[in-house]
Amino acid sequence: MSILGLQLQHCAADLCNWTGSGFAAGVDSRIVLQVQLRCTEGSVRWIYPGQALRVVLEPNLSSSQSTTVCIKPSPSFHGASVFIERAGELELLVTEDGRPEQQVFCFRADGPHRPAIYLQSRPQSDGPWSRRTMGFRYELLGNRTAAPNVGHSGLQASCRPCNDTELLMAICNSDFVVRGLIKKVSHDSERQTSLVEVSAARVYWQRSGVFEQQAAASGSPRSVPSWRGHIHTLLQCHVKPGDGEFLFTGSEHFGEAWLGCAPRYKDFLFVYQTAWAARHPHPCTGTVGSL
């Protein structure tokens, strides 16, 4: 599918987000609203969606030529298809079928062209100006850990245990590093994901507020964990509750924590102490030492 021959009509937007109406496109089916966003994450909200909307992402990602773009459709996302634009041609990413609002879709945006997302709205039986709102949140991951494959993404998440080098590097590269216990694991067969409830004694850092501090119960000892949070992973990884402390690391996507390396805490300490004794340099030495 080609976008040649369509008329682009530019829309005003702030650096990260856009909210607008499709009324302007209703007078001419060849008009495509175009929005340019310059942040690595934000949202798009399209009210009274018209024929089509083209969203160009133009953040400053230094000199990186390889970017992963992830989008999460809004709960009201119905009656539209999402395409990726590559060299003037459109490749289907999200179809109108199914329940896209429950999934995350990712694609690689390599090369010199900025990633562009193209939404095509389906005509409504109750008229072109029925009260509808659709949109999505987006993230550009750059060199960060890729989002797990919970949708139509071509990215694959690995369930294998991390090796020693990956364990040590996870402390540097993860969006969160937490030491704690697995309290419960629940499974969602529809999304093909598992949710791990974590009771944490220490939150060394986190990119946002996924893990929340709990008020200590009256008379409880200080050693009782005071943080709570949930970490997502794929159902195919068969995560089960286990005894003992773990060091949870991973990435955050759309306000959710996703599991990366999660060794038992004592096993991580052994790996780190062994590397230290062998005089292997580690870029996170100062931070890891506090673990």
Side-chain angles (χ1 to χ4, degrees), residues 214-287:
Q214 307 295 303
S218 177
S220 62
R222 287 190 174 185
S223 60
V224 173
S226 58
W227 295 79
R228 293 289 188 277
H230 293 85
I231 305 176
H232 298 257
T233 188
L234 296 185
L235 185 63
Q236 68 193 45
C237 294
H238 304 293
V239 174
K240 299 178 181 179
D243 297 330
E245 282 192 312
F246 293 83
L247 189 67
F248 300 99
T249 69
S251 56
E252 295 181 19
H253 304 286
F254 303 108
E256 296 178 340
W258 285 88
L259 189 63
C261 298
R264 291 187 180 274
Y265 181 62
K266 62 181 179 62
D267 293 336
F268 167 77
L269 288 181
F270 176 79
V271 170
Y272 175 68
Q273 292 166 357
T274 300
W276 181 268
R279 299 174 181 262
H280 291 162
H282 188 268
C284 297
T285 296
T287 310

